[in-house]
Every structure is written in C-alpha cells, then in structure tokens.
Amino acid sequence: MAAPVEEVEKLKQTLKELINKKDKFERDIKECLDILQIEKNVGMDESLIDAEQYPRADIDVYLVRNTRHKVKCLQNDYKDIMKDIEIRLHELHAAERERKAHSDSRNVAEQKPNKSLLPFATIDLVSPESPAKHAGLEVGDKLLEFGSVDSENFRALQDIAAIVQHSVGVSSCC
C-alpha cells in the first residue's frame, strides 16, 4: 500500500520536532560545558580534589559535580533522540520511495491507455489444441500487442518468434 501524502507530511513534522529537541539538547550541553570552563577550566575530567585529597577550594565543587551530572544526562538523551531521528529518517525515505513508486506506476498505468494501439498483424491460422486456441484467438483477429511488441516497434515476424521462443514452457494461464 502506498504511503499517503499525509503520512509523509506527518513524518516530516515529527522529524522537525525531534530536530528542534536535538538542537535544544545541544544548546543545553554547550551551556553546561561553558559553566565548567568558567570554573577554572575544570571540564568533564579534571580532578575535584587537591594534592592532599581535599575538595578543591578554588572551584565550586557542588556546581561542577551537578553540571557534570547534567551533561552526562543530556548526552544520554541526545544519543536517544539521535537514534530516534535516524529511525524516522529511514521511515520518511521509505515512505517517499513507496509514494514515488506508486506514483510512477500510476503514471505508467495512466499513460498506457492513452497509447494508440493499432493492429500490426492479422491471425490467419489457429491450430487446434494450441496455446493460441486456448487463449481464445480466432482466425481474423487483429494483434494490437504481443508481449512487448506493438505497432510502434514491430518490424518483422521474427520479433514475435523471439518472444515465443523465450516463453516456451511458461504457462500463461492459472
């Protein structure tokens, strides 16, 4: 079943919302890392104790610990939302491919009836018990199409013979 335009638009809207959340996580992480830079460039890995194993007096240890914790939580949320964005992108591209394929097949189906089918051959013999007889062909019937051959690309009976040769042993009925 083809993906309706509404489904594609809903996926696009969901992706926009997820990307906005991702951008907010990135801003929040940057703000937290800026706080850690202000606190004597302590970052995420710098030690919070001095050489004598006491908390450093030159930084706000409580603020640094809470900020580091917040960064770790935000990074985990960021990873989750990036996975969700990846999944939604795959869904969107699959839906777009499906919609395009459905649209293309509809266009081909719509174009086919517009094609002017002119007869290019007339049946002058139908053998008893032949596939042609089973298919309902009768003497005097006009051929509009035979496989991929039609009045536009028919050159000689060898074109039809080639199609028949490739179809030997292939059943065309139920």
Side-chain angles (χ1 to χ4, degrees):
M1 179 175 174
V5 175
E6 297 83 29
E7 180 183 346
V8 171
E9 290 305 316
K10 184 178 177 185
L11 280 169
K12 285 181 181 179
Q13 185 60 36
T14 302
L15 266 168
K16 285 179 185 177
E17 291 169 7
L18 288 172
I19 289 171
N20 288 338
K21 286 181 184 179
K22 175 197 69 92
D23 292 343
K24 181 167 179 0
F25 283 133
E26 288 173 344
R27 284 191 304 275
D28 292 348
I29 290 170
K30 184 180 179 337
E31 287 175 12
C32 289
L33 293 175
D34 288 345
I35 290 171
L36 295 176
Q37 288 292 325
I38 292 170
E39 285 293 318
K40 304 282 184 184
N41 200 20
V42 71
M44 293 294 291
D45 301 317
E46 185 76 26
S47 177
L48 301 181
I49 56 175
D50 60 16
E52 296 172 354
Q53 302 299 312
Y54 288 102
R56 287 176 49 182
D58 61 334
I59 60 171
D60 183 347
V61 175
Y62 178 79
L63 175 67
V64 171
R65 288 188 57 155
N66 283 333
T67 304
R68 284 180 175 178
H69 175 73
K70 186 175 178 182
V71 168
K72 290 292 185 186
C73 290
L74 287 169
Q75 286 174 335
N76 288 336
D77 293 343
Y78 182 81
K79 287 176 188 175
D80 290 341
I81 203 157
M82 289 302 291
K83 287 177 187 174
D84 202 14
I85 289 172
E86 180 182 7
I87 290 167
R88 301 287 187 227
L89 278 172
H90 285 292
E91 290 173 358
L92 175 65
H93 288 289
E96 284 285 1
R97 272 193 307 273
E98 186 176 331
R99 186 174 66 114
K100 185 178 184 317
H102 181 69
S103 173
D104 289 348
S105 67
R106 185 181 303 157
N107 289 342
V108 168
E110 289 171 358
Q111 289 172 359
K112 193 139 183 138
N114 295 336
K115 183 178 171 184
S116 62
L117 293 176
L118 301 173
F120 63 90
T122 304
I123 305 294
D124 62 1
L125 174 68
V126 179
S127 300
E129 299 303 316
S130 68
K133 183 69 172 175
H134 289 291
L137 289 177
E138 296 177 2
V139 173
D141 284 350
K142 306 235 184 262
L143 287 182
L144 303 176
E145 283 184 310
F146 191 90
S148 59
V149 177
D150 59 22
S151 61
E152 293 178 7
N153 62 9
F154 175 73
R155 289 173 282 140
L157 285 177
Q158 285 80 6
D159 297 341
I160 293 176
I163 291 174
V164 170
Q165 186 63 35
H166 291 297
S167 301
V168 170
V170 177
S171 175
S172 63
C173 61
C174 316

